[in-house]
Amino acid sequence: MRIDIITVVPELLKSPFEASIMQRSIAKGLVEVHFHNLRDYTTNAYKQVDDYQYGGGAGMVMMIEPIDKCISELKAARDYDEVIYMTPDGETLNQGIANTISLQKNIIILCGHYKGVDQRVRDQFITREISIGDYVLSGGELGALILCDAVIRLIPGVLGNETSALTDSFQDDLLAPPVYTRPADYKGWKVPEILTSGNTPKIEAWREEQAYKHTKNRRPDLLNE
Ligand code: ADE
């Protein structure tokens, strides 16, 4: 997958791709990430990418011209499956959306700032608008990173153990069951006996039951009951 991220603060984005799973996905050649500084696409002498809003009102708006130049240049080089705009009024990110995007080949992510982008950008270029939750961030960059992390770990071959993404919380609309590791007894706090029994079918049944109970307890809205 190739991800092109358009931003006014590329320095906010780089380091998360230099560690852990996202770094490994790049090292394995499964993911390519390119950052594009919007200021490189402005003709303005002051590298200005925002301006006052028509009709008056507080807050600046990101101008269409540098965004158009950047997106058009990318689109001239290859086809894109999706041009995503990170915005608090987009659809709220969930595992289903992450799954869908993980199947795509080339995507562009535009990070908004200030009051957002000129509406014509959304009308002309954006195919999908995503929010990471009902709160307002200073810009779309942190949201873009969360989207990338959620998507990249689902790309086949990225995680060492292919089954581990399949057993994540939400992957089957249930929260994940509790997990334990050694020692089996720590200060008298014991691991449930079933997990050390070696009885795989019973362990699976226990995990399913735990996942259901945990979901019913914490997120009953996820259960279609
Ligand atoms: N930009 C500002 N707030 C955001 C949010 N909640 N999700 C995505 N992008 C944003």
Side-chain angles (χ1 to χ4, degrees), residues 85-91 93 110-114 129-144:
Y85 174 50
M86 301 307 300
T87 175
D89 60 350
E91 55 180 333
L93 179 62
L110 171 65
C111 303
H113 258 267
Y114 321 110
E129 304 194 334
I130 295 179
S131 162
I132 60 155
D134 288 343
Y135 39 83
V136 179
L137 304 168
S138 316
E141 284 75 12
L142 298 182

Side-chain angles (χ1 to χ4, degrees), residues 97-167:
I97 296 173
N99 279 329
T100 305
I101 296 175
S102 75
L103 301 173
Q104 294 169 341
K105 198 163 168 271
N106 299 323
I107 63 168
I108 293 173
I109 304 177
L110 171 65
C111 303
H113 258 267
Y114 321 110
K115 274 279 165 210
V117 295
D118 186 308
Q119 181 60 36
R120 290 167 293 183
V121 170
R122 299 168 79 156
D123 297 343
Q124 300 299 325
F125 302 112
I126 302 300
T127 60
R128 186 155 208 165
E129 304 194 334
I130 295 179
S131 162
I132 60 155
D134 288 343
Y135 39 83
V136 179
L137 304 168
S138 316
E141 284 75 12
L142 298 182
L145 289 171
I146 286 170
L147 174 63
C148 287
D149 188 303
V151 164
I152 285 173
R153 62 197 307 287
L154 294 171
I155 296 171
V158 167
L159 293 185
N161 177 357
E162 275 293 48
T163 59
S164 68
L166 298 177
T167 55

Side-chain angles (χ1 to χ4, degrees), residues 43-215:
T43 45
N44 186 291
Y46 302 98
K47 301 243 170 230
Q48 191 185 343
V49 292
D50 58 333
D51 211 335
Y52 295 102
Q53 51 179 311
Y54 277 122
M60 305 293 272
V61 175
M62 287 169 76
M63 292 187 283
I64 190 168
E65 191 190 7
I67 298 174
D68 175 17
K69 283 203 170 122
C70 184
I71 293 180
S72 299
E73 190 179 295
L74 291 170
K75 281 180 154 181
R78 68 197 63 78
D79 288 333
Y80 283 90
D81 303 299
E82 207 86 87
V83 183
I84 299 167
Y85 174 50
M86 301 307 300
T87 175
D89 60 350
E91 55 180 333
T92 308
L93 179 62
N94 59 31
Q95 197 65 25
I97 296 173
N99 279 329
T100 305
I101 296 175
S102 75
L103 301 173
Q104 294 169 341
K105 198 163 168 271
N106 299 323
I107 63 168
I108 293 173
I109 304 177
L110 171 65
C111 303
H113 258 267
Y114 321 110
K115 274 279 165 210
V117 295
D118 186 308
Q119 181 60 36
R120 290 167 293 183
V121 170
R122 299 168 79 156
D123 297 343
Q124 300 299 325
F125 302 112
I126 302 300
T127 60
R128 186 155 208 165
E129 304 194 334
I130 295 179
S131 162
I132 60 155
D134 288 343
Y135 39 83
V136 179
L137 304 168
S138 316
E141 284 75 12
L142 298 182
L145 289 171
I146 286 170
L147 174 63
C148 287
D149 188 303
V151 164
I152 285 173
R153 62 197 307 287
L154 294 171
I155 296 171
V158 167
L159 293 185
N161 177 357
E162 275 293 48
T163 59
S164 68
L166 298 177
T167 55
D168 282 347
S169 279
F170 304 111
Q171 204 58 26
D172 51 8
D173 284 336
L174 288 179
L175 301 183
V179 291
Y180 298 86
T181 186
R182 288 187 291 180
D185 184 340
Y186 182 71
K187 296 184 176 176
W189 304 322
K190 294 193 175 64
V191 169
E193 247 170 56
I194 181 81
L195 294 177
T196 54
S197 69
N199 185 331
T200 310
K202 278 205 169 154
I203 291 172
E204 279 312 305
W206 180 86
R207 285 186 170 146
E208 270 173 41
E209 183 196 332
Q210 292 293 315
Y212 174 78
K213 279 188 181 161
H214 190 43
T215 310

Side-chain angles (χ1 to χ4, degrees), residues 19-50:
S20 189
I21 308 266
M22 294 212 281
Q23 183 273 331
R24 228 184 304 150
S25 73
I26 294 168
K28 283 184 180 174
L30 297 167
V31 175
E32 238 181 79
V33 185
H34 300 266
F35 305 105
H36 306 278
N37 190 339
L38 209 46
R39 292 186 206 283
D40 295 339
Y41 294 84
T42 174
T43 45
N44 186 291
Y46 302 98
K47 301 243 170 230
Q48 191 185 343
V49 292
D50 58 333

